[in-house]
Amino acid sequence: MRRGGLKFRLLIGVVVVAFAFIKKCGNKTVNPYTNRVQNISMSPQQEIQIGRQSAPQMAQQHGGLHADTKLQAFIDNIGNKLVKSSMARETPYRYDFHLLADDRTINAFALPGGQIFMTYGLLARLKNEDQVAGVLGHEIGHVLGRHSAERVAESEFWKTISMGASVGADMGNVVNQYANGTLLKNGRDDELESDELGVLFMINAGYDPSQMIEVMRVLKAAAGSNRVPEFRSSHPDPENRIEHIQEAIEKYSVH
């Protein structure tokens, strides 16, 4: 009976894993803005809905929105200029730029669908409009790259694989560890892709793309000796990002 039960568990595990791979193959799509093949399980409209629903909670976690309407208008003007002068204007996404009151956290991030946030802690360390454009352009790149949607689909895939492995051969922990490593690698690629898109958006909007390099130096200085105070470990080292940004500037400045 035990041997028969083990065979049945293995069969169920194989079926679950096979289902995960079939579903993943069916979700393959070409991103029209980056030409990259991605595994995505939601539509742009669903991304927009998720982003809008999550935005108030994200703001609350950072002390709410900044009270200075002039600073908010400053952020809006730069963000909208980047969108209107780039392929971002041709997407179904609707971009909203939020300045957060948090003056201790040095960060900016994007939710799916176009909700973009910058903390006052980061804004206060930037020296000019071009650097702000570099940060916002990078975050717009995350939205166009559909990075959040891609991570959600990848997470769903590995959860299903983990379930199948746990049922079939109690290998769920091993699979989970591998999944974490895969998601970490994808995160680094996302950052570099967003940096390159940000450079392109800056050039199109008439900003100095070299100021994105200065933003990297600001982030590096803010991180101090430990290098990762406010940033996820998925972020590549600032020096690697600077090199990639320099290559992107050379690439897009030719045209």
Side-chain angles (χ1 to χ4, degrees):
M1 290 293 293
R2 289 181 180 177
R3 183 173 298 177
L6 177 59
K7 288 182 178 179
F8 180 74
R9 287 180 59 195
L10 286 171
L11 176 61
I12 294 298
V14 169
V15 170
V16 172
V17 170
F19 171 77
F21 276 99
I22 292 172
K23 183 179 179 181
K24 184 172 184 178
C25 291
N27 289 337
K28 292 294 183 182
T29 181
V30 177
N31 188 315
Y33 316 114
T34 64
N35 293 321
R36 186 163 61 86
V37 177
Q38 295 176 282
N39 171 34
I40 294 178
S41 57
M42 66 177 70
S43 68
Q45 288 69 32
Q46 289 173 315
E47 291 179 76
I48 294 170
Q49 183 179 7
I50 290 172
R52 287 179 174 172
Q53 289 177 345
S54 304
Q57 180 182 356
M58 297 304 297
Q60 185 178 11
Q61 291 177 6
H62 290 273
L65 300 177
H66 200 283
D68 192 324
T69 56
K70 290 184 178 179
L71 282 179
Q72 179 60 59
F74 175 66
I75 297 295
D76 287 335
N77 289 336
I78 298 172
N80 290 329
K81 183 177 180 180
L82 289 165
V83 170
K84 291 177 181 178
S85 60
S86 71
M87 58 185 172
R89 71 180 183 277
E90 301 169 358
T91 73
Y93 304 121
R94 294 295 178 265
Y95 295 88
D96 294 312
F97 302 93
H98 309 280
L99 179 61
L100 300 171
D102 190 343
D103 61 357
R104 301 185 64 182
T105 304
I106 305 170
N107 204 3
F109 54 90
L111 295 178
Q115 300 298 312
I116 293 174
F117 299 81
M118 180 189 295
T119 64
Y120 180 74
L122 174 56
L123 178 63
R125 285 166 171 78
L126 302 179
K127 298 179 176 62
N128 54 53
E129 182 175 333
D130 295 76
Q131 291 182 10
V132 177
V135 173
L136 297 180
H138 172 91
E139 299 306 329
I140 294 170
H142 277 306
V143 177
L144 263 68
R146 305 189 73 185
H147 297 151
S148 293
E150 191 172 23
R151 287 198 300 273
V152 168
E154 194 71 13
S155 178
E156 292 174 349
F157 169 74
W158 283 107
K159 283 179 181 177
T160 306
I161 290 291
S162 177
M163 181 177 67
S166 297
V167 171
D170 197 23
M171 290 289 288
N173 290 334
V174 175
V175 172
N176 283 333
Q177 291 174 7
Y178 180 71
N180 290 334
T182 299
L183 293 176
L184 179 64
K185 180 179 180 182
N186 289 343
R188 289 175 180 146
D189 291 342
D190 293 346
E191 295 303 320
L192 295 177
E193 183 173 72
S194 294
D195 283 342
E196 181 169 336
L197 288 170
V199 166
L200 177 59
F201 299 155
M202 290 181 74
I203 292 173
N204 289 342
Y207 289 111
D208 178 7
S210 68
Q211 288 301 309
M212 188 182 281
I213 294 175
E214 297 305 315
V215 172
M216 294 301 109
R217 290 172 178 153
V218 168
L219 299 182
K220 181 179 178 180
S225 58
N226 59 15
R227 289 286 181 93
V228 286
E230 303 295 348
F231 307 99
R232 302 186 304 274
S233 58
S234 60
H235 284 58
D237 184 271
E239 291 300 327
N240 293 336
R241 293 179 70 177
I242 287 174
E243 181 179 352
H244 187 81
I245 290 168
Q246 289 172 330
E247 293 173 353
I249 292 173
E250 293 178 4
K251 174 181 177 180
Y252 293 116
S253 294
V254 174
H255 301 288

